[in-house]
Structure formats: structure tokens, C-alpha cells
Amino acid sequence: ETEEQPITRRHQVKAKGSNVPSHFETFEELRTRFSLPSLIASNLEKYGYSKPTSIQSYAIPILLEGRDLAAISPTGTGKTLSYVLPTMIALDSPNSKGKKEFGSGARAVILAPTRELAHQIHNECLKLAEGRKWKIILFSKATSSTLADKNVRDKVDVIISTPLRLVASLQQGHLDLSNVRHLILDEADRMLDSEFLDQIEEIIAACTYSDIQKSVFSATLPANAEKVAFGVLRDPIRVVVGLKDT
Ligand code: ADP
Ligand code: MG
């Protein structure tokens, strides 16, 4: 008989790669180690994120140290926050503040295979962003046409989309991904399979920022998808979370 486990139960974690950053145990630690803004800290608390899950405690420092990552962790273990939290920290203030070093246009792109998943990711971003005016766009036909206006486009912070939607907009010339510093593929087993591969490659090619950080998240990563992922990632760390044998 299986007993339902709380989401923050400890799992077996394997992290492989060069100079793997140490993991953390409490969100409090992120305040001192990565200057987690107090607004984000209070949003975490507000939405009941009191303690990181296993994948979060490994993935978050890796991403905050700017490393590429392939993260494999079972469904329901909190992969979304593993990339949403470091993304929001890395963004610093909204681009509408016009800081020169932010460049213009989206600094982060999160891709998911379905509109429904993209919608869920968007909601997670909005929770952490509550209280600050980041422009976090769930890509749709309607939003992509508003981006035809360069003034609107330049002030976007984060884009969440399915690959198809983004490629359509790229092909119309309504989208500039040259300022994207964080590219995240969720459900990477599907995203790196033949259904989406051409689109993903087109998006990666449009992300021309030289110091771009890429990460992939998935519950499983079949050998073919892993091979594609490691062709795209730079000096990546591979983190695998497994259920502990009982
Ligand atoms: P996955 O993508 O790995 O399947 P999700 O990111 O969808 O998992 O998270 C599953 C559920 O767990 C969501 O309802 C999410 O809000 C919740 N959750 C994630 N991280 C935490 C946490 N640190 N503490 C409590 N709940 C969490
Ligand atoms: Mg998920």
C-alpha cells in the first residue's frame, strides 16, 4: 500500500557536472546567498511555499549561478518553481524601468508543449511577481499582435509560450529574441522529440544573446532527447531526482 507523500519529502538526488553549486535547505538561505528580494520571499510565503522540494533545492542555486541545467524529476515534485524562482530573481527590476544593462525586449523565454501548461506556468510567474510591474506575457494570437509594436515589445520581461506560437510570430517579424538571457524548456522529453524539434531549433537560433543560459526540465529524458539536450547545453549540470526505495 502506498501512502501519499508530502511534496517536500526528501528524494534521492544525483547531480553531475563540473563545479556543481551546493544545494540549499530553506528559502531563508537564498536571502543571504543570492539576495532573494523580500517581495519574492513574501510571495513564496503567501502561496504556501514554505520549504523547497528536492529538485528546487538543487536546481535553484545552479540556475542562479548562471549554469546550464538538465533537470529530471518526477511529476508533482515542483519543477515549475525550480525555474520560475531563479528567473524572477535574475530579472531584477522590470525592464520598463529602462536600465541600460537590461537591453530591450524579453530577457526570459519559457516554452511548454501545450497551451494549458503554458497557462499554468504563467500563473506561477504571476504569483511570485505579485507587487511588481514585470511584464510577463502568456503568448497567444492576441498578445503576439500587440508585440508588433516595438514600444510594447521592448518592455516585455518574460514570454511563456508553446513553440508553434512563438515560431509563427518570429516568422511574421513580430518578435526579437536577441535579448533572451534565460531559455527554459519544460516537459523537455516532448519538446526535444520530433514533433517540436524543428520549432525548438528555430527558436534557439533566434536567441542570439552570447551569454544565454539554457535549461531543460522533464519527468523523464529518453536517450534521444537527452542527446539533443546535451548538444544544445553548455557545460551543463545534470540533476536527477529519484524516488527513494522503500
Ligand atoms: P512538476 O512540474 O514537477 O510536475 P509542479 O511544478 O506542477 O510539479 O508542482 C506541483 C504542485 O506542487 C503545484 O501545485 C505546486 O504549487 C506545488 N509546489 C511546488 N513547490 C512547492 C513547495 N516548495 N512547497 C509546497 N508546494 C509546492
Ligand atoms: Mg511541470
Side-chain angles (χ1 to χ4, degrees):
E1 198 174 313
T2 55
E3 195 185 321
E4 187 148 334
Q5 297 286 344
I7 178 159
T8 49
R9 66 172 284 204
R10 296 282 99 185
H11 299 94
Q12 197 169 353
V13 185
K14 287 187 189 132
K16 257 172 49 184
S18 64
N19 304 314
V20 178
S22 62
H23 65 285
F24 73 105
E25 300 285 348
T26 68
F27 288 123
E28 196 55 39
E29 281 174 60
L30 293 183
R31 281 178 185 267
T32 45
R33 195 165 150 204
F34 294 105
S35 43
L36 172 71
S38 55
L39 178 93
I40 295 180
S42 58
N43 288 340
L44 283 171
E45 205 177 303
K46 175 173 177 185
Y47 287 101
Y49 297 123
S50 50
K51 190 169 170 286
T53 64
S54 299
I55 188 60
Q56 289 161 11
S57 70
Y58 281 77
I60 289 170
I62 290 169
L63 292 177
L64 285 172
E65 291 198 9
R67 299 291 301 277
D68 280 10
L69 170 67
I72 301 149
S73 182
T75 303
T77 54
K79 289 190 290 296
T80 319
L81 193 73
S82 304
Y83 57 78
V84 168
L85 179 61
T87 300
M88 299 314 298
I89 295 174
L91 285 175
D92 192 353
S93 53
N95 208 346
S96 57
K97 298 279 178 206
K99 276 198 191 171
K100 206 174 161 213
E101 65 269 26
F102 290 175
S104 47
R107 285 174 288 155
V109 167
I110 303 168
L111 297 172
T114 67
R115 169 111 187 118
E116 174 55 30
L117 278 165
H119 183 77
Q120 286 171 20
I121 296 163
H122 186 236
N123 281 338
E124 287 297 301
C125 289
L126 295 183
K127 286 181 191 171
L128 287 196
E130 212 174 283
R132 288 214 78 172
K133 292 196 164 63
W134 280 294
K135 254 183 163 320
I136 302 169
I137 307 257
L138 176 60
F139 225 62
S140 67
K141 236 188 188 122
T143 54
S144 68
S145 64
T146 67
L147 297 186
D149 179 347
K150 188 173 172 355
N151 290 318
V152 175
R153 196 160 74 210
D154 282 354
K155 292 190 171 62
V156 170
D157 293 291
V158 183
I159 290 172
I160 300 140
S161 183
T162 60
L164 192 60
R165 196 28 77 222
L166 210 65
V167 164
S169 205
L170 271 177
Q171 289 172 349
Q172 288 167 338
H174 287 174
L175 189 64
D176 177 0
L177 298 179
S178 63
N179 196 39
V180 175
R181 297 134 193 244
H182 309 277
L183 178 66
I184 298 137
L185 305 189
D186 201 352
E187 310 262 324
D189 53 344
R190 285 190 63 188
M191 303 291 268
L192 299 172
D193 197 9
S194 49
E195 184 188 356
F196 291 112
L197 194 54
D198 288 350
Q199 294 158 31
I200 296 294
E201 282 175 345
E202 191 164 342
I203 292 165
I204 290 174
C207 293
T208 53
Y209 189 82
S210 62
D211 213 11
I212 186 170
Q213 176 186 53
K214 301 188 200 86
S215 55
V216 305
F217 286 80
S218 201
T220 58
L221 205 54
N224 58 327
E226 175 144 340
K227 199 172 159 216
V228 179
F230 280 80
V232 164
L233 301 174
R234 258 191 311 196
D235 186 23
I237 295 170
R238 180 178 186 273
V239 175
V240 181
V241 172
L243 297 171
K244 259 204 178 100
D245 296 334
T246 46

PDB file of all heavy atoms in Angstrom, residues 173-206:
ATOM      1  N   GLY A 173       8.008  38.384 -38.171  1.00  0.00           N
ATOM      2  CA  GLY A 173       8.880  39.506 -37.851  1.00  0.00           C
ATOM      3  C   GLY A 173       8.381  40.339 -36.683  1.00  0.00           C
ATOM      4  O   GLY A 173       8.783  41.488 -36.501  1.00  0.00           O
ATOM      5  N   HIS A 174       7.499  39.749 -35.869  1.00  0.00           N
ATOM      6  CA  HIS A 174       6.929  40.468 -34.735  1.00  0.00           C
ATOM      7  C   HIS A 174       7.663  40.204 -33.438  1.00  0.00           C
ATOM      8  O   HIS A 174       7.191  40.578 -32.370  1.00  0.00           O
ATOM      9  CB  HIS A 174       5.456  40.075 -34.533  1.00  0.00           C
ATOM     10  CG  HIS A 174       4.557  40.636 -35.569  1.00  0.00           C
ATOM     11  ND1 HIS A 174       3.230  40.318 -35.644  1.00  0.00           N
ATOM     12  CD2 HIS A 174       4.802  41.504 -36.579  1.00  0.00           C
ATOM     13  CE1 HIS A 174       2.682  40.955 -36.653  1.00  0.00           C
ATOM     14  NE2 HIS A 174       3.623  41.675 -37.245  1.00  0.00           N
ATOM     15  N   LEU A 175       8.762  39.521 -33.544  1.00  0.00           N
ATOM     16  CA  LEU A 175       9.389  39.099 -32.317  1.00  0.00           C
ATOM     17  C   LEU A 175      10.893  39.143 -32.466  1.00  0.00           C
ATOM     18  O   LEU A 175      11.433  38.755 -33.497  1.00  0.00           O
ATOM     19  CB  LEU A 175       8.932  37.656 -32.020  1.00  0.00           C
ATOM     20  CG  LEU A 175       9.294  37.083 -30.671  1.00  0.00           C
ATOM     21  CD1 LEU A 175       8.597  37.859 -29.565  1.00  0.00           C
ATOM     22  CD2 LEU A 175       8.851  35.620 -30.611  1.00  0.00           C
ATOM     23  N   ASP A 176      11.554  39.639 -31.430  1.00  0.00           N
ATOM     24  CA  ASP A 176      13.002  39.721 -31.426  1.00  0.00           C
ATOM     25  C   ASP A 176      13.471  38.997 -30.172  1.00  0.00           C
ATOM     26  O   ASP A 176      13.144  39.403 -29.058  1.00  0.00           O
ATOM     27  CB  ASP A 176      13.393  41.213 -31.396  1.00  0.00           C
ATOM     28  CG  ASP A 176      14.891  41.410 -31.316  1.00  0.00           C
ATOM     29  OD1 ASP A 176      15.631  40.404 -31.277  1.00  0.00           O
ATOM     30  OD2 ASP A 176      15.317  42.577 -31.280  1.00  0.00           O
ATOM     31  N   LEU A 177      14.201  37.905 -30.357  1.00  0.00           N
ATOM     32  CA  LEU A 177      14.634  37.130 -29.185  1.00  0.00           C
ATOM     33  C   LEU A 177      16.108  37.356 -28.872  1.00  0.00           C
ATOM     34  O   LEU A 177      16.720  36.613 -28.123  1.00  0.00           O
ATOM     35  CB  LEU A 177      14.359  35.628 -29.411  1.00  0.00           C
ATOM     36  CG  LEU A 177      12.883  35.232 -29.591  1.00  0.00           C
ATOM     37  CD1 LEU A 177      12.769  33.721 -29.826  1.00  0.00           C
ATOM     38  CD2 LEU A 177      12.046  35.638 -28.389  1.00  0.00           C
ATOM     39  N   SER A 178      16.674  38.413 -29.445  1.00  0.00           N
ATOM     40  CA  SER A 178      18.121  38.603 -29.313  1.00  0.00           C
ATOM     41  C   SER A 178      18.549  39.047 -27.909  1.00  0.00           C
ATOM     42  O   SER A 178      19.738  39.076 -27.610  1.00  0.00           O
ATOM     43  CB  SER A 178      18.616  39.612 -30.349  1.00  0.00           C
ATOM     44  OG  SER A 178      18.022  40.867 -30.106  1.00  0.00           O
ATOM     45  N   ASN A 179      17.580  39.378 -27.061  1.00  0.00           N
ATOM     46  CA  ASN A 179      17.923  39.801 -25.696  1.00  0.00           C
ATOM     47  C   ASN A 179      17.625  38.722 -24.657  1.00  0.00           C
ATOM     48  O   ASN A 179      17.732  38.958 -23.451  1.00  0.00           O
ATOM     49  CB  ASN A 179      17.151  41.086 -25.373  1.00  0.00           C
ATOM     50  CG  ASN A 179      17.701  41.821 -24.165  1.00  0.00           C
ATOM     51  OD1 ASN A 179      18.922  41.899 -23.976  1.00  0.00           O
ATOM     52  ND2 ASN A 179      16.825  42.329 -23.322  1.00  0.00           N
ATOM     53  N   VAL A 180      17.256  37.530 -25.129  1.00  0.00           N
ATOM     54  CA  VAL A 180      16.867  36.456 -24.205  1.00  0.00           C
ATOM     55  C   VAL A 180      18.104  35.871 -23.523  1.00  0.00           C
ATOM     56  O   VAL A 180      18.978  35.316 -24.176  1.00  0.00           O
ATOM     57  CB  VAL A 180      16.079  35.355 -24.948  1.00  0.00           C
ATOM     58  CG1 VAL A 180      15.785  34.172 -24.021  1.00  0.00           C
ATOM     59  CG2 VAL A 180      14.794  35.923 -25.530  1.00  0.00           C
ATOM     60  N   ARG A 181      18.158  36.011 -22.200  1.00  0.00           N
ATOM     61  CA  ARG A 181      19.305  35.537 -21.421  1.00  0.00           C
ATOM     62  C   ARG A 181      19.026  34.232 -20.712  1.00  0.00           C
ATOM     63  O   ARG A 181      19.944  33.590 -20.183  1.00  0.00           O
ATOM     64  CB  ARG A 181      19.685  36.605 -20.386  1.00  0.00           C
ATOM     65  CG  ARG A 181      20.138  37.902 -21.045  1.00  0.00           C
ATOM     66  CD  ARG A 181      19.504  39.111 -20.424  1.00  0.00           C
ATOM     67  NE  ARG A 181      19.719  40.296 -21.255  1.00  0.00           N
ATOM     68  CZ  ARG A 181      20.422  41.342 -20.865  1.00  0.00           C
ATOM     69  NH1 ARG A 181      20.974  41.356 -19.671  1.00  0.00           N
ATOM     70  NH2 ARG A 181      20.573  42.369 -21.654  1.00  0.00           N
ATOM     71  N   HIS A 182      17.744  33.860 -20.637  1.00  0.00           N
ATOM     72  CA  HIS A 182      17.332  32.619 -19.971  1.00  0.00           C
ATOM     73  C   HIS A 182      16.306  31.932 -20.850  1.00  0.00           C
ATOM     74  O   HIS A 182      15.224  32.473 -21.075  1.00  0.00           O
ATOM     75  CB  HIS A 182      16.711  32.912 -18.600  1.00  0.00           C
ATOM     76  CG  HIS A 182      17.570  33.800 -17.747  1.00  0.00           C
ATOM     77  ND1 HIS A 182      18.612  33.301 -16.989  1.00  0.00           N
ATOM     78  CD2 HIS A 182      17.571  35.134 -17.581  1.00  0.00           C
ATOM     79  CE1 HIS A 182      19.209  34.325 -16.377  1.00  0.00           C
ATOM     80  NE2 HIS A 182      18.597  35.441 -16.718  1.00  0.00           N
ATOM     81  N   LEU A 183      16.664  30.755 -21.355  1.00  0.00           N
ATOM     82  CA  LEU A 183      15.731  29.978 -22.167  1.00  0.00           C
ATOM     83  C   LEU A 183      15.463  28.664 -21.448  1.00  0.00           C
ATOM     84  O   LEU A 183      16.387  27.923 -21.129  1.00  0.00           O
ATOM     85  CB  LEU A 183      16.319  29.714 -23.560  1.00  0.00           C
ATOM     86  CG  LEU A 183      15.439  28.857 -24.483  1.00  0.00           C
ATOM     87  CD1 LEU A 183      14.140  29.573 -24.842  1.00  0.00           C
ATOM     88  CD2 LEU A 183      16.199  28.486 -25.757  1.00  0.00           C
ATOM     89  N   ILE A 184      14.186  28.403 -21.174  1.00  0.00           N
ATOM     90  CA  ILE A 184      13.805  27.226 -20.390  1.00  0.00           C
ATOM     91  C   ILE A 184      12.840  26.371 -21.198  1.00  0.00           C
ATOM     92  O   ILE A 184      11.845  26.874 -21.730  1.00  0.00           O
ATOM     93  CB  ILE A 184      13.134  27.682 -19.069  1.00  0.00           C
ATOM     94  CG1 ILE A 184      14.130  28.494 -18.230  1.00  0.00           C
ATOM     95  CG2 ILE A 184      12.620  26.476 -18.289  1.00  0.00           C
ATOM     96  CD1 ILE A 184      13.551  29.723 -17.597  1.00  0.00           C
ATOM     97  N   LEU A 185      13.144  25.079 -21.292  1.00  0.00           N
ATOM     98  CA  LEU A 185      12.228  24.144 -21.928  1.00  0.00           C
ATOM     99  C   LEU A 185      11.630  23.248 -20.859  1.00  0.00           C
ATOM    100  O   LEU A 185      12.362  22.481 -20.205  1.00  0.00           O
ATOM    101  CB  LEU A 185      12.942  23.241 -22.943  1.00  0.00           C
ATOM    102  CG  LEU A 185      13.754  23.853 -24.067  1.00  0.00           C
ATOM    103  CD1 LEU A 185      14.167  22.750 -25.042  1.00  0.00           C
ATOM    104  CD2 LEU A 185      12.976  24.912 -24.810  1.00  0.00           C
ATOM    105  N   ASP A 186      10.333  23.349 -20.661  1.00  0.00           N
ATOM    106  CA  ASP A 186       9.671  22.450 -19.718  1.00  0.00           C
ATOM    107  C   ASP A 186       9.147  21.245 -20.506  1.00  0.00           C
ATOM    108  O   ASP A 186       8.959  21.329 -21.719  1.00  0.00           O
ATOM    109  CB  ASP A 186       8.538  23.185 -18.997  1.00  0.00           C
ATOM    110  CG  ASP A 186       8.162  22.486 -17.689  1.00  0.00           C
ATOM    111  OD1 ASP A 186       8.662  21.371 -17.423  1.00  0.00           O
ATOM    112  OD2 ASP A 186       7.357  23.057 -16.930  1.00  0.00           O
ATOM    113  N   GLU A 187       8.928  20.136 -19.809  1.00  0.00           N
ATOM    114  CA  GLU A 187       8.473  18.899 -20.464  1.00  0.00           C
ATOM    115  C   GLU A 187       9.406  18.589 -21.646  1.00  0.00           C
ATOM    116  O   GLU A 187       8.961  18.341 -22.776  1.00  0.00           O
ATOM    117  CB  GLU A 187       7.030  19.041 -20.946  1.00  0.00           C
ATOM    118  CG  GLU A 187       6.098  19.569 -19.858  1.00  0.00           C
ATOM    119  CD  GLU A 187       5.308  18.487 -19.144  1.00  0.00           C
ATOM    120  OE1 GLU A 187       4.910  17.510 -19.777  1.00  0.00           O
ATOM    121  OE2 GLU A 187       5.115  18.622 -17.918  1.00  0.00           O
ATOM    122  N   ALA A 188      10.694  18.625 -21.357  1.00  0.00           N
ATOM    123  CA  ALA A 188      11.703  18.534 -22.415  1.00  0.00           C
ATOM    124  C   ALA A 188      11.662  17.222 -23.187  1.00  0.00           C
ATOM    125  O   ALA A 188      12.101  17.171 -24.335  1.00  0.00           O
ATOM    126  CB  ALA A 188      13.097  18.748 -21.821  1.00  0.00           C
ATOM    127  N   ASP A 189      11.130  16.166 -22.574  1.00  0.00           N
ATOM    128  CA  ASP A 189      11.041  14.909 -23.326  1.00  0.00           C
ATOM    129  C   ASP A 189      10.172  15.100 -24.573  1.00  0.00           C
ATOM    130  O   ASP A 189      10.498  14.625 -25.651  1.00  0.00           O
ATOM    131  CB  ASP A 189      10.523  13.752 -22.457  1.00  0.00           C
ATOM    132  CG  ASP A 189       9.215  14.070 -21.748  1.00  0.00           C
ATOM    133  OD1 ASP A 189       8.848  15.258 -21.657  1.00  0.00           O
ATOM    134  OD2 ASP A 189       8.555  13.121 -21.278  1.00  0.00           O
ATOM    135  N   ARG A 190       9.082  15.859 -24.421  1.00  0.00           N
ATOM    136  CA  ARG A 190       8.227  16.135 -25.584  1.00  0.00           C
ATOM    137  C   ARG A 190       8.824  17.214 -26.480  1.00  0.00           C
ATOM    138  O   ARG A 190       8.725  17.142 -27.704  1.00  0.00           O
ATOM    139  CB  ARG A 190       6.848  16.607 -25.123  1.00  0.00           C
ATOM    140  CG  ARG A 190       6.003  15.490 -24.586  1.00  0.00           C
ATOM    141  CD  ARG A 190       4.569  15.943 -24.368  1.00  0.00           C
ATOM    142  NE  ARG A 190       3.910  16.353 -25.622  1.00  0.00           N
ATOM    143  CZ  ARG A 190       2.703  16.932 -25.656  1.00  0.00           C
ATOM    144  NH1 ARG A 190       2.066  17.176 -24.531  1.00  0.00           N
ATOM    145  NH2 ARG A 190       2.162  17.265 -26.796  1.00  0.00           N
ATOM    146  N   MET A 191       9.422  18.225 -25.856  1.00  0.00           N
ATOM    147  CA  MET A 191       9.912  19.361 -26.634  1.00  0.00           C
ATOM    148  C   MET A 191      11.077  18.990 -27.541  1.00  0.00           C
ATOM    149  O   MET A 191      11.296  19.631 -28.568  1.00  0.00           O
ATOM    150  CB  MET A 191      10.361  20.478 -25.688  1.00  0.00           C
ATOM    151  CG  MET A 191       9.274  20.929 -24.755  1.00  0.00           C
ATOM    152  SD  MET A 191       7.997  21.795 -25.650  1.00  0.00           S
ATOM    153  CE  MET A 191       8.642  23.414 -25.465  1.00  0.00           C
ATOM    154  N   LEU A 192      11.842  17.977 -27.132  1.00  0.00           N
ATOM    155  CA  LEU A 192      13.019  17.607 -27.921  1.00  0.00           C
ATOM    156  C   LEU A 192      12.746  16.375 -28.779  1.00  0.00           C
ATOM    157  O   LEU A 192      13.646  15.790 -29.352  1.00  0.00           O
ATOM    158  CB  LEU A 192      14.225  17.397 -27.002  1.00  0.00           C
ATOM    159  CG  LEU A 192      14.621  18.654 -26.213  1.00  0.00           C
ATOM    160  CD1 LEU A 192      15.680  18.328 -25.184  1.00  0.00           C
ATOM    161  CD2 LEU A 192      15.089  19.761 -27.153  1.00  0.00           C
ATOM    162  N   ASP A 193      11.478  16.004 -28.865  1.00  0.00           N
ATOM    163  CA  ASP A 193      11.078  14.910 -29.726  1.00  0.00           C
ATOM    164  C   ASP A 193      10.712  15.487 -31.101  1.00  0.00           C
ATOM    165  O   ASP A 193      10.607  16.704 -31.270  1.00  0.00           O
ATOM    166  CB  ASP A 193       9.876  14.197 -29.077  1.00  0.00           C
ATOM    167  CG  ASP A 193       9.661  12.818 -29.670  1.00  0.00           C
ATOM    168  OD1 ASP A 193      10.530  12.358 -30.445  1.00  0.00           O
ATOM    169  OD2 ASP A 193       8.632  12.209 -29.362  1.00  0.00           O
ATOM    170  N   SER A 194      10.520  14.604 -32.066  1.00  0.00           N
ATOM    171  CA  SER A 194      10.378  15.065 -33.452  1.00  0.00           C
ATOM    172  C   SER A 194       9.232  16.059 -33.664  1.00  0.00           C
ATOM    173  O   SER A 194       9.314  16.934 -34.520  1.00  0.00           O
ATOM    174  CB  SER A 194      10.214  13.866 -34.377  1.00  0.00           C
ATOM    175  OG  SER A 194       9.231  13.016 -33.849  1.00  0.00           O
ATOM    176  N   GLU A 195       8.178  15.968 -32.849  1.00  0.00           N
ATOM    177  CA  GLU A 195       7.021  16.853 -33.026  1.00  0.00           C
ATOM    178  C   GLU A 195       7.416  18.339 -32.959  1.00  0.00           C
ATOM    179  O   GLU A 195       6.904  19.160 -33.699  1.00  0.00           O
ATOM    180  CB  GLU A 195       5.975  16.532 -31.955  1.00  0.00           C
ATOM    181  CG  GLU A 195       4.684  17.327 -32.097  1.00  0.00           C
ATOM    182  CD  GLU A 195       3.745  17.143 -30.908  1.00  0.00           C
ATOM    183  OE1 GLU A 195       4.054  16.329 -30.004  1.00  0.00           O
ATOM    184  OE2 GLU A 195       2.722  17.851 -30.879  1.00  0.00           O
ATOM    185  N   PHE A 196       8.322  18.672 -32.033  1.00  0.00           N
ATOM    186  CA  PHE A 196       8.645  20.078 -31.796  1.00  0.00           C
ATOM    187  C   PHE A 196      10.069  20.468 -32.187  1.00  0.00           C
ATOM    188  O   PHE A 196      10.425  21.645 -32.148  1.00  0.00           O
ATOM    189  CB  PHE A 196       8.471  20.417 -30.314  1.00  0.00           C
ATOM    190  CG  PHE A 196       7.029  20.412 -29.847  1.00  0.00           C
ATOM    191  CD1 PHE A 196       6.577  19.450 -28.962  1.00  0.00           C
ATOM    192  CD2 PHE A 196       6.143  21.386 -30.298  1.00  0.00           C
ATOM    193  CE1 PHE A 196       5.252  19.451 -28.530  1.00  0.00           C
ATOM    194  CE2 PHE A 196       4.819  21.391 -29.871  1.00  0.00           C
ATOM    195  CZ  PHE A 196       4.372  20.417 -28.983  1.00  0.00           C
ATOM    196  N   LEU A 197      10.883  19.472 -32.528  1.00  0.00           N
ATOM    197  CA  LEU A 197      12.314  19.740 -32.640  1.00  0.00           C
ATOM    198  C   LEU A 197      12.676  20.861 -33.615  1.00  0.00           C
ATOM    199  O   LEU A 197      13.488  21.728 -33.299  1.00  0.00           O
ATOM    200  CB  LEU A 197      13.068  18.443 -32.977  1.00  0.00           C
ATOM    201  CG  LEU A 197      14.570  18.512 -32.789  1.00  0.00           C
ATOM    202  CD1 LEU A 197      14.922  18.978 -31.381  1.00  0.00           C
ATOM    203  CD2 LEU A 197      15.206  17.151 -33.055  1.00  0.00           C
ATOM    204  N   ASP A 198      12.038  20.865 -34.794  1.00  0.00           N
ATOM    205  CA  ASP A 198      12.351  21.910 -35.774  1.00  0.00           C
ATOM    206  C   ASP A 198      12.040  23.293 -35.216  1.00  0.00           C
ATOM    207  O   ASP A 198      12.804  24.246 -35.396  1.00  0.00           O
ATOM    208  CB  ASP A 198      11.546  21.708 -37.063  1.00  0.00           C
ATOM    209  CG  ASP A 198      12.057  20.517 -37.860  1.00  0.00           C
ATOM    210  OD1 ASP A 198      13.143  19.989 -37.507  1.00  0.00           O
ATOM    211  OD2 ASP A 198      11.372  20.118 -38.824  1.00  0.00           O
ATOM    212  N   GLN A 199      10.893  23.389 -34.529  1.00  0.00           N
ATOM    213  CA  GLN A 199      10.495  24.678 -33.962  1.00  0.00           C
ATOM    214  C   GLN A 199      11.465  25.118 -32.864  1.00  0.00           C
ATOM    215  O   GLN A 199      11.853  26.281 -32.792  1.00  0.00           O
ATOM    216  CB  GLN A 199       9.078  24.584 -33.397  1.00  0.00           C
ATOM    217  CG  GLN A 199       8.022  24.354 -34.477  1.00  0.00           C
ATOM    218  CD  GLN A 199       6.748  23.735 -33.924  1.00  0.00           C
ATOM    219  OE1 GLN A 199       6.398  23.970 -32.773  1.00  0.00           O
ATOM    220  NE2 GLN A 199       6.075  22.951 -34.740  1.00  0.00           N
ATOM    221  N   ILE A 200      11.851  24.163 -32.022  1.00  0.00           N
ATOM    222  CA  ILE A 200      12.787  24.482 -30.934  1.00  0.00           C
ATOM    223  C   ILE A 200      14.114  24.968 -31.525  1.00  0.00           C
ATOM    224  O   ILE A 200      14.703  25.942 -31.048  1.00  0.00           O
ATOM    225  CB  ILE A 200      13.025  23.246 -30.029  1.00  0.00           C
ATOM    226  CG1 ILE A 200      11.734  22.819 -29.329  1.00  0.00           C
ATOM    227  CG2 ILE A 200      14.134  23.505 -29.014  1.00  0.00           C
ATOM    228  CD1 ILE A 200      11.170  23.792 -28.334  1.00  0.00           C
ATOM    229  N   GLU A 201      14.564  24.292 -32.569  1.00  0.00           N
ATOM    230  CA  GLU A 201      15.836  24.694 -33.181  1.00  0.00           C
ATOM    231  C   GLU A 201      15.741  26.098 -33.777  1.00  0.00           C
ATOM    232  O   GLU A 201      16.682  26.891 -33.675  1.00  0.00           O
ATOM    233  CB  GLU A 201      16.281  23.656 -34.224  1.00  0.00           C
ATOM    234  CG  GLU A 201      16.897  22.455 -33.518  1.00  0.00           C
ATOM    235  CD  GLU A 201      17.282  21.307 -34.432  1.00  0.00           C
ATOM    236  OE1 GLU A 201      16.834  21.284 -35.600  1.00  0.00           O
ATOM    237  OE2 GLU A 201      18.018  20.422 -33.954  1.00  0.00           O
ATOM    238  N   GLU A 202      14.598  26.412 -34.347  1.00  0.00           N
ATOM    239  CA  GLU A 202      14.396  27.753 -34.911  1.00  0.00           C
ATOM    240  C   GLU A 202      14.409  28.816 -33.797  1.00  0.00           C
ATOM    241  O   GLU A 202      14.991  29.895 -33.946  1.00  0.00           O
ATOM    242  CB  GLU A 202      13.077  27.787 -35.677  1.00  0.00           C
ATOM    243  CG  GLU A 202      12.920  29.042 -36.504  1.00  0.00           C
ATOM    244  CD  GLU A 202      11.822  28.933 -37.572  1.00  0.00           C
ATOM    245  OE1 GLU A 202      11.402  27.797 -37.907  1.00  0.00           O
ATOM    246  OE2 GLU A 202      11.398  29.998 -38.051  1.00  0.00           O
ATOM    247  N   ILE A 203      13.794  28.489 -32.676  1.00  0.00           N
ATOM    248  CA  ILE A 203      13.764  29.431 -31.548  1.00  0.00           C
ATOM    249  C   ILE A 203      15.165  29.621 -30.977  1.00  0.00           C
ATOM    250  O   ILE A 203      15.612  30.747 -30.736  1.00  0.00           O
ATOM    251  CB  ILE A 203      12.768  28.940 -30.468  1.00  0.00           C
ATOM    252  CG1 ILE A 203      11.333  29.026 -31.002  1.00  0.00           C
ATOM    253  CG2 ILE A 203      12.925  29.747 -29.172  1.00  0.00           C
ATOM    254  CD1 ILE A 203      10.311  28.244 -30.201  1.00  0.00           C
ATOM    255  N   ILE A 204      15.883  28.510 -30.795  1.00  0.00           N
ATOM    256  CA  ILE A 204      17.250  28.607 -30.256  1.00  0.00           C
ATOM    257  C   ILE A 204      18.122  29.450 -31.180  1.00  0.00           C
ATOM    258  O   ILE A 204      18.903  30.289 -30.724  1.00  0.00           O
ATOM    259  CB  ILE A 204      17.850  27.199 -30.027  1.00  0.00           C
ATOM    260  CG1 ILE A 204      17.140  26.514 -28.848  1.00  0.00           C
ATOM    261  CG2 ILE A 204      19.360  27.279 -29.759  1.00  0.00           C
ATOM    262  CD1 ILE A 204      17.533  25.067 -28.619  1.00  0.00           C
ATOM    263  N   ALA A 205      17.947  29.256 -32.484  1.00  0.00           N
ATOM    264  CA  ALA A 205      18.748  30.030 -33.446  1.00  0.00           C
ATOM    265  C   ALA A 205      18.448  31.529 -33.359  1.00  0.00           C
ATOM    266  O   ALA A 205      19.317  32.361 -33.605  1.00  0.00           O
ATOM    267  CB  ALA A 205      18.501  29.513 -34.862  1.00  0.00           C
ATOM    268  N   ALA A 206      17.213  31.873 -32.979  1.00  0.00           N
ATOM    269  CA  ALA A 206      16.838  33.290 -32.878  1.00  0.00           C
ATOM    270  C   ALA A 206      17.310  33.917 -31.568  1.00  0.00           C
ATOM    271  O   ALA A 206      17.341  35.138 -31.423  1.00  0.00           O
ATOM    272  CB  ALA A 206      15.323  33.430 -33.011  1.00  0.00           C
TER     273      ALA A 206
END
